Amino acid sequence: MVRVHRRRLLASCLCVTATAFLLVTLQVVVELGKFERKSLKNSNLQDGYKKVEGEPKLLNPFLKKEALTLSGKKTLEIGSYPIMLWWSPLTGETGRLGQCGTDVCYFTINRTYVHHHMTKAFLFYGTDFNIDSLPLPRKAHHDWALFHEESPKNNYKLFHKPVITLFNYTATFSRHSHLPLTTQYLEGVEVLKSLQYLVPLQSKNNLRKRLAPLVYVQSDCDPPSDRDSYVRELMTYIKVDSYGECLRNKELPQQLKNPASMDSDGFYRIIAQYKFILAFENAICDDYITEKFWRPLKLGIVPVYYGSPSITDWLPSNRSAILVSEFAHPRELADYIRRLDYDDRLYEAYVEWKLKGEISNQRLLTALKERKWGVQDINQDNYIDAFECMVCSKVWDNIRLQEKGLLPKRWKADITHLSCPEPTMFVFSSPAILSPRANSLREMWIPSFQQSKKEAQALRWLVERNQNFSSQEFWALVFKD
């Protein structure tokens, strides 16, 4: 009996030990999983907003919210949550319950939910918004939401009233959209104040013995802004070191020739040696401001800016950039840059704000403080998460109104949410020698914009008809006399 009792006691001890070991092992696995997810998020942040390989139009966001932990039973009850269907598969998620404050929505790219009674909103990524497939017929309770942070050249028809007003909610680069993304390329105030890459003026003056006063780095040649035509003319009046594919006259080190290297330390160190950089956007729209403007301010270079007509609303200080729009001709701009290059006192007036760490623009400070998302910040939502939650919360607001017997609130985008003027081309007295490819690209943008007006009107008519349509019907309507 004593032996039996000892065996039972030993078996019990082994069982307890094994259970404890399994619990510890499980905890280790869970923690490793958390660490791997965090590592993956951080690697995504280091790479910025990356394109998915093999599918250049599908974007991989900075990081995604953790899905809610659900039991098997709750997973089967998706129909109890509002469904947000990404019609353009920006996130690539087949299904995720997302927490937005106290609200919960189900986010998916699965189009089998198109007719589900809990499908409340369709989310579109602007670059991939096309006429080949739309969720029609559109029901009265179906909201359409547009996320479009990229250049207008990617999809011109969105920039006309007939199309932009099809959407209930927007997240665009315009300050007037429901979720403004104007500062999408600016991490925060501290990077503007940072002196990490600042090269002292005396060193820049010494470097001028082998460097031009101006640097230009562009590989997207002859876009709608026609920036290359301006820079080509400017080069006849002042020296410009051009590293990109466009107007290239100087070579980067081999390891920095990949466009992905433009946010690397090595690239920053090279560019920071210059006094001025030509920061020209690829399109001209209010509030369309890219890294071309913010990067030089972070590095301590004076941007010579051509782009958003509303740029003065976003300057760190009144004297922090040279605006091309203030000069009647490239010759005059060249003369002004030459004056600053020769006069340290005049030049330093453009970097004084950075040296003192003083940002006087309250609009910029407020926008950075109040935005509901972060840039390369794992402690904040990224702007795709913020967009999803904006739509989710507004859908829930209407559900709560209806539960009280009240009419839902109807949100609607207007033309200010995404509007750009027709492109124009520079015409200078000296004839430019352009390659056939450059000529064809330059001559494409204005007719493309004009045709996009007809496309917008045709699309509006077909959507309001509220029936599925073919691409043949669409194009027949566009080219109807």
Side-chain angles (χ1 to χ4, degrees), residues 261-457:
S261 301
M262 292 189 71
D263 279 316
S264 68
D265 181 81
F267 180 77
Y268 282 4
R269 298 289 178 188
I270 290 175
I271 301 304
Q273 299 177 101
Y274 287 86
K275 287 186 172 183
F276 307 91
I277 186 168
L278 293 170
F280 285 30
E281 306 288 7
N282 63 30
I284 309 303
C285 306
D286 278 343
D287 297 340
Y288 178 59
I289 304 166
T290 71
E291 77 287 347
K292 297 174 187 65
F293 175 70
W294 301 117
R295 184 188 290 134
L297 294 176
K298 292 189 287 186
L299 301 182
I301 319 169
V302 178
V304 180
Y305 184 77
Y306 178 65
S308 170
S310 59
I311 191 63
T312 53
D313 288 344
W314 304 102
L315 298 176
S317 75
N318 289 334
R319 183 162 290 194
S320 50
I322 297 168
L323 306 183
V324 170
S325 59
E326 295 180 353
F327 299 87
H329 191 276
R331 183 191 308 106
E332 294 180 13
L333 174 61
D335 289 342
Y336 185 69
I337 291 172
R338 200 174 289 111
R339 278 183 58 203
L340 300 186
D341 185 29
Y342 293 151
D343 191 323
D344 288 353
R345 182 181 56 84
L346 292 177
Y347 178 83
E348 285 180 328
Y350 281 91
V351 293
E352 184 179 8
W353 68 273
K354 188 172 184 70
L355 295 171
K356 293 182 176 180
E358 296 176 353
I359 296 176
S360 58
N361 187 339
Q362 288 304 311
R363 179 193 297 275
L364 175 60
L365 293 171
T366 300
L368 291 172
K369 182 180 179 180
E370 294 183 354
R371 68 186 184 185
K372 302 181 187 302
W373 42 271
V375 178
Q376 297 185 6
D377 184 351
I378 60 174
N379 297 313
Q380 291 182 282
D381 288 344
N382 65 71
Y383 46 52
I384 298 176
D385 284 334
F387 169 67
E388 288 183 338
C389 278
M390 174 189 71
V391 180
C392 174
S393 296
K394 290 188 183 301
V395 166
W396 266 108
D397 287 345
N398 278 339
I399 290 174
R400 285 186 280 267
L401 285 173
Q402 289 175 304
E403 287 174 348
K404 296 176 182 177
L406 302 174
L407 291 175
K409 183 174 181 180
R410 302 307 297 170
W411 292 75
K412 188 177 180 180
D414 63 51
I415 189 60
T416 65
H417 289 212
L418 205 57
S419 178
C420 299
E422 182 175 299
T424 58
M425 289 194 297
F426 289 105
V427 179
F428 300 112
S429 55
S430 53
I433 301 174
L434 303 176
S435 66
R437 178 182 177 276
N439 259 325
S440 62
L441 274 175
R442 288 184 75 232
E443 293 170 359
M444 175 185 76
W445 295 116
I446 294 176
S448 176
F449 185 89
Q450 291 170 344
Q451 180 178 306
S452 69
K453 291 181 182 178
K454 297 179 181 178
E455 293 177 17
Q457 291 167 351

Side-chain angles (χ1 to χ4, degrees), residues 172-221:
T172 75
F173 53 73
S174 170
R175 73 184 79 180
H176 302 293
S177 72
H178 295 118
L179 185 71
L181 305 176
T182 316
T183 58
Q184 62 180 304
Y185 292 98
L186 180 58
E187 296 91 333
V189 172
E190 293 309 312
V191 296
L192 289 176
K193 294 181 179 180
S194 173
L195 303 180
Q196 179 182 357
Y197 292 98
L198 182 71
V199 175
L201 179 56
Q202 191 56 51
S203 298
K204 289 191 177 188
N205 284 336
N206 292 333
L207 287 164
R208 279 284 288 108
K209 296 172 185 176
R210 61 180 179 83
L211 299 178
L214 280 160
V215 63
Y216 184 56
V217 189
Q218 293 299 334
S219 293
D220 178 13
C221 305

